[in-house]
Amino acid sequence: MSAISQLWEADSIAVIGATERPGALGRKPMDYLLRYGYKGRILPVNPRATEILGVPAYPSLRDAPSPVDLALIMVSAERVAGAVDDCVAAGVPLAVIASSGFAETGPEGAALQADVVAAARAGGLRLIGPNCIGAVAYNSRVLATFSPLFGADDVPFEPGSLAFVSQSGALGFGAASLALQRGLRPGWVVSTGNDADVTVLEVLQELAREPECHGLLGYLEDAPDIEALKSISESGKPVALLKSGRTEAGGRAAASHTGALATDDRVLDAALRRLGIARVDDIDELLDVAHAFEFPLRPRGPRVAVVTTSGGSGILAADAVEERGLELSDLTPESKAALAEIVPAFGAVDNPVDITAMVLSDPTLFDRSLDVLIADDTVDIIIACFCVMASTDVQKAVTSLGKAARKGGKPILVARTGADFLAPDAPAMLREAQLPEYPTPARALRAAGALWQVSRPRTPLAPVAAGPGAVPAPASGATEPELKRLLSDAGVRVPAGRLAQDRRDAAAAVREVGGRAVLKAVVPGLLHKTEAGGVRLGVTEEGAAEAYDALRALGGDVLVEEEAPDGVEVIVGMRGSALGPVLTVGLGGVFTEILADAGHRLLPLAPGEAEQMIAELKGAALLTGARGAAASDTAALAELLERVAALAAGWPDGFELDLNPVRVLPQGVVVLDAAYTATG
Amino acid sequence: MSAISQLWEADSIAVIGATERPGALGRKPMDYLLRYGYKGRILPVNPRATEILGVPAYPSLRDAPSPVDLALIMVSAERVAGAVDDCVAAGVPLAVIASSGFAETGPEGAALQADVVAAARAGGLRLIGPNCIGAVAYNSRVLATFSPLFGADDVPFEPGSLAFVSQSGALGFGAASLALQRGLRPGWVVSTGNDADVTVLEVLQELAREPECHGLLGYLEDAPDIEALKSISESGKPVALLKSGRTEAGGRAAASHTGALATDDRVLDAALRRLGIARVDDIDELLDVAHAFEFPLRPRGPRVAVVTTSGGSGILAADAVEERGLELSDLTPESKAALAEIVPAFGAVDNPVDITAMVLSDPTLFDRSLDVLIADDTVDIIIACFCVMASTDVQKAVTSLGKAARKGGKPILVARTGADFLAPDAPAMLREAQLPEYPTPARALRAAGALWQVSRPRTPLAPVAAGPGAVPAPASGATEPELKRLLSDAGVRVPAGRLAQDRRDAAAAVREVGGRAVLKAVVPGLLHKTEAGGVRLGVTEEGAAEAYDALRALGGDVLVEEEAPDGVEVIVGMRGSALGPVLTVGLGGVFTEILADAGHRLLPLAPGEAEQMIAELKGAALLTGARGAAASDTAALAELLERVAALAAGWPDGFELDLNPVRVLPQGVVVLDAAYTATG
C-alpha cells in the first residue's frame, strides 16, 4: 500500500492540534470524522486535553498507540516541524499539513517549508500540503480536512466514483460542492496546497489505480511533470485537467500565489492532446466533463449525429460541433431515406435530425429515428436535444435513448433545455439510464468533445532515447557547415557547397556550384546574419572575390553554396522544455514571429503526427499551393520533421536547434541555414 | 398603443381553436389564462362548443363581442387563412399563429404563409408566427401560449424585468424555464417562429419602450435588420443576442430549419459591437448576461479588480479577463500600499487581491479592501470570489459587497464557488443586495464583459448618406486610371503617371516619372492582372517600347506610373452587405486570403475606429515595424480609411471597391491599384 492511499485507506488518523473549542479549525476534522461515521481509530493530539469530543486525546503523537496511518497537522507554522518529527518518530507514512505560513508567504516561509520537507523525506514520511484544506474519501469516510463543506446542514455524503484533486483547496472543495449540487458523485476530494512533496499529479496517479474511480479531475497551478502525466494517461482512466495561469495575467497571478510559473502553455496543450487527457478552461467545464466520465460508453470516433425535438437546439448543436474538435456526420444515404419515412414534413432529416415536438404525441419518433442513427456507421456520438418537457415525456424519451445507447454501444449525451421543476424526477431517470445531461446543446457538445479526447486512439509517448537515426549532439556553437554536414550525413538535403579558402578559391567554388552562388559569413556567435550583411545572394564568378572580402571582414570563414530552387520557407526547430524535447514547425518570417503560427509537439512523434502538425498551420494553404502557385512537397517536410526528431533523440537537456529557413520545394526540401545552442 | 404590445396589454383574448379535450394543445391556453388569473376577457372560439372550461364560447370570431385585442390561432394550417380573415373582419390588431405547416415545410407551405401574411397586411392585422409557441407576459398575466412550461406543478409565476424573445419557441421557453430555476425574473417570453410578419427584433423594439423592462434577450436564426438593431440600441436598454448559424454547419442547419441564411457573421459582430449590443454564444451565457442586466450598476470602463478569498479563484479570474475584452487594473501605488496594510502575509496585494480565508475570522477584511478598490480610479468593475462559504459568512460578505457597490457606484459581480446547500439563503441575500452571482470566476467575467459591452460609450451608427468628401459612384467597370483620378481628386495619393499613346510616348512617360516606371495593362474585365502578365516592374526608357507592345497585346491601354517607395502592402475595400456598407482593411496577400486577417466595420466610422481596425489586425506588428524594419505610417492609413468611407457614402447598394494593394510608407500611403464593380 502506498503512503498516498492512506488518504482513503487509513485505519487510524491522528489529528495534531485537535481541540473542542467551538468554531476552531482544529475541531472541525474531529466533528466530521464523528458525524460521518469514520470506522477507524481517531487519535486527537493536544498537550492540554485528555479527551476531545469524547475521544481520548494524547499530549503528543509519541504518546499515541501505534500504528498511525495518517496524521492531519493543524498547528501553527512554527510548530509544524516538531509535529513532522513526531510523525517520523511514530512511523506515520503520510501527513497532511493544513497549516499556512510557508512558501506562499515569501522566502522565509519557503525556507521553513524546505526544512520540513527535508526532514520528512529523511524520515520516510510523505507530506500533503502545507497550506491545504486536506482530503475526504466518501467511500471509506476518511475525512482529513477542515473544509466547511462538511459542516453544512444537509450536505450529501454518498459513495462516488469521481476524484477531484486540486492545488487550491477552496476551488477543489468548491467544485466538489457544485458537483454534489448537480447530482454528480465525488468519491475523493484532495487538496494539495503548496505541492511541497506530494503533487496533484501523484495523487491522481494513485487514484487511477482505484477500481472504483471512474474519472480523474485535476486543478493545478504549477507546471506538470511529464512522467506523471504519462503514468496517469497509461492508466486508461479518463482525465480532465484545469491548468490555470494560461494567460499572461493569470500566469502572473499564479506566480504570486504559490510560486508557480506559467510554462509553455501550447506545448502543454500538445502534450495533453497526445496523452488523451482533456484540458478544460473553467470549473464549470470540469464538472460537465466529469459528469460524462461517470458513465461507461465511449465514442469510437469524432462523428456526431444530433437528434432534436427543436430546430433551434439543432442549430445551436451544429454550431458547437466543430469548436469541440468533433465532426457533424453526413449520415449515409440509407439513413437519410429511412429518416425521411419517419420524420414529420416540418422536421429535417439532414443532420441535425429534427423530429419536432410531434414526439410528444408520437413517442415512437425517438425510438425509430434512434434505430437509424445507432445503425449508421458514420455516427460515433449522439446528441439528443429536447426543451421544456414534462416528466412523463422525459420518461419516454429517456427510455428510448437509454435503450438505443445500450444497444448501439454509442454514447448519447442529452441537452435538456428545461428547468428541473418541469420534470423533478428527470435527473434521477437520466442517471439511472446512464445518460449524461446538460442544460444546453453547446454544453453537451463540450462534454462530448472531451469524451472523444480521452477515448481517441493514442500512441504512447515513450521515453525519448537515442534510436535509429540518432547522432551525438553537436558541440555548443557548432558552425553552420558543421551542422549541415551532420544533417547531410543523416540524409537531410542541404545546399551543395563548401568553405572557400581565399578570394580565388571563392570563384572556383562558385563555378563548382553552377556559376551563381550564395556566399555566407561563418562567424561563431553571429546572429541575424542577413541583417549583419553576412549573406550575399546571386554571386557570380566575377563578383566572388569582392563578396569574399566583404564577408571575410566580418571575422570568420566564407561558405559558398548553390542557390536553392524557389519554394516556400518554413522554420523547423527543436528545444528542451519542462515537459521534454519539443519539435516545432512554422511558416517562415512573419508567420511564426508575428502571428505565432507554429505547431509544437512533444517527442517522440506518433505516426502521422508530422503531417498533422503541418496541416494544422493556419497558413498551411501556402504550402498546398495558394494563389495558383505550385504545391510544395509537404510529405518531404513531414519526413524532415521525423528525421530531425530521430536525429536529436537522446541529446542532453537544454539545447536549441534551429533550421531557419527550410525551403519546401515542389519536390523535396532543403535546409538553408542551421544553428545550434546548448543552453543547459 | 402598438399592435405588438397587445402581447402584454390585451384586455381581451380570443383563443381560436380552443377545446376542453384533455391533452389537446387547444386546451392549454384556456387552462393557463384561468390558472394564472388573467384579468381580461377570454373568448374561446370553437364551432362545436357553447362553453369551454366554464367560459362562454363562440362558433366564430365574427360572433364574439368586440373589441378583441389579441387572437391566438390554434387551428390546423389549412384553416388559418379563414381565421385570419375573421380577425381582420373583427378588427383585431394582433394575432399569434401557433399552427405549423407553413414555410418550414417547403415551397407549398411558404406560399400559404405568403398568402396569409398578405391578407393580414391588407387588413391591418399584425401577425406573430406562424409555427411558434406564443407568448407570456408575467406582469399582466397575458398567456397566449400552449408551452408546457405553464402546465408544471410548481412553476414560479412572479413579475419580472427580463424579456426573452426567440424565433425558436422551444429554446425561448426552455431558456425562460432555466432562468426561473436560477432565480432570475423573466417578465416577458415571446416566440416568433417563422418571423413571417413581426420579427424578433420588432418585438424587442417594442419591449425596449416598457419602463419595467430592464434587459432584452433575443435568440434569432435569420439575418437581423440593421435599422431594427439601431432602434433597439438607441433605447439604451441592455441587449444580448444569441444569433445561431455562426458556423458553416450551424448555418446549413439554420437554412434547412426556417429558411434563414447565414449572413456575414464577422460583419454582424462588428455591427453589434458598434451598437453596444452583447453577442453571446450559448443559452447558458445568455442567462449569465441576463442576470447581470437585472441590476442597475454599470461600469464606466473596462478595468477589473479581483478580490478573492482563494488564490486559485483569483488566478482563474485573471485568466478570463482578457478573453472577455476587459483589462486587469494595475491599481494605484496608493491602493497597493493601503492593501499591504490590510491583507495577510500569505495573501496578495497585486490584483487579484487575495484577502485569503482569514476573512472568515476577520470579516472586516472585505470591508477594508473594498474601500480601497472602490476609491481607486483605475477600477471600473469588481469581481469578488469566494468558495464553500456557509450562510453566516456569505451574509457578512454580501453586506460588505453590497455596501461597497452602492457607495462606489461600481458593479460588483460575485463568483460564489459553493453549492446552495452550504448557504441556502445566499441567492436571496445576493439578489436583495443587487449583486449578480455566478458559480465560477470565468462565468462572472463573461457576464462582466457583456456588461461593459452594453455600457461602453457609443457613437451612433447614423444612416449612411453623402456628406463632405462624398463623390458620385463611378460607372461599373471604371478603369484603373479613372478610379485613380477619382481617388486623387479626393486627396488620396496615387502614383504619378499617365496613359501612353504609343511605344515612343511610353518611353517619354517613363522619363517623366524619373526614368524607371511600372507599366500596367488597362483592360476592362482583366482580373488578376499580375498573373496575366499585365504588370511590368522596373521598366527603363530603353525597355519601354518592348513592354508597351507586350501589354498592348493584352487588348487595352497601357498605364505608365512611377515606382512607389518600399512599404507594407495592405488591402482596403468597401462593399454592400445586408447590414449596410462595410469597410474592410487587411494586410496584403496571404494575410487576408489565407489567414482571413482582416477587420470589418459598418459605416459611418466612429472617431478612432479606423485606428482601432488597424490595431486589431493579427499582423499589425508588420505595420508598426517588426524585425527591425521601419514603422509604417498607420496614421496615414487610418486617414485613408476615413477618406474612402466618406468618398463612398451614398453610393448605391451592391458595389465592391477594392484598393489592392495599398502601400503603407514610412510617411504616407499610396494606392497602387483600384477596381470597382457594381453588383446591384
Side-chain angles (χ1 to χ4, degrees), chain A residues 100-101 104-106 131 147-156 168-171 173-178 180-182 219 221 242-258 281-284 309-316 318-323 328 330 345-348 350-352 354 360 387-390 416-423 439-443 446 531 589-591 593-595 597 618-622 626-627 660, chain B residues 100-101 104-106 131 147-156 168-171 173-178 180-182 219 221 242-258 281-284 309-316 318-323 328 330 345-348 350-352 354 360 387-390 416-423 439-443 446 531 589-591 593-595 597 618-622 626-627 660:
Chain A
S100 299
E104 78 281 7
T105 59
N131 188 31
S147 169
L149 175 56
F150 305 96
D153 284 343
D154 295 308
V155 50
S168 161
L171 278 184
F173 285 95
S177 80
L178 293 173
L180 289 164
Q181 174 164 311
R182 289 185 183 200
Y219 167 77
E221 294 166 2
L242 175 58
K243 164 72 178 73
S244 66
R246 184 188 269 277
T247 64
E248 206 195 322
R252 275 200 312 273
S256 73
H257 178 41
T258 59
D281 280 333
D282 187 28
I283 294 288
D284 214 51
T309 66
S310 140
S313 291
I315 305 171
L316 290 179
D319 267 344
V321 164
E322 207 176 312
E323 190 190 348
L328 205 58
D330 283 333
F346 56 101
D350 281 344
N351 193 9
D354 181 4
L360 298 180
C387 300
V388 203
M389 265 198 194
R416 180 171 66 95
T417 307
D420 283 344
F421 61 73
L422 288 165
T440 71
R443 284 179 55 185
R446 184 165 81 167
E531 287 79 355
V590 293
F591 280 91
E593 294 181 23
I594 296 183
L595 300 173
D597 184 16
K618 283 176 265 178
L622 270 188
R627 308 189 84 196
N660 179 10
Chain B
S100 298
E104 77 281 8
T105 60
N131 187 30
S147 170
L149 175 56
F150 305 97
D153 285 344
D154 296 308
V155 49
S168 162
L171 277 183
F173 285 96
S177 80
L178 292 173
L180 290 164
Q181 174 164 311
R182 291 185 181 198
Y219 166 78
E221 294 165 4
L242 175 57
K243 164 75 177 70
S244 67
R246 185 189 267 278
T247 65
E248 207 195 322
R252 276 200 311 275
S256 72
H257 178 42
T258 57
D281 280 332
D282 187 28
I283 293 288
D284 215 53
T309 67
S310 140
S313 291
I315 304 171
L316 290 179
D319 267 344
V321 164
E322 207 175 311
E323 190 191 347
L328 204 59
D330 284 333
F346 55 101
D350 280 342
N351 193 8
D354 180 5
L360 298 179
C387 300
V388 204
M389 263 197 196
R416 180 172 66 96
T417 307
D420 283 345
F421 61 73
L422 288 165
T440 71
R443 285 178 55 187
R446 183 164 83 168
E531 287 79 354
V590 294
F591 280 92
E593 295 183 20
I594 297 184
L595 300 173
D597 185 17
K618 285 177 263 176
L622 271 187
R627 309 189 80 198
N660 180 13

Side-chain angles (χ1 to χ4, degrees), chain A residues 74 78 89 94 101 142 205 351 372 377 395-396 501 543 558 680:
Chain A
M74 308 229 7
E78 72 279 6
L94 181 71
V142 175
Q205 271 178 279
N351 193 9
V372 175
D377 285 338
Q395 177 69 71
K396 288 173 200 156
Q501 300 309 313
V558 176

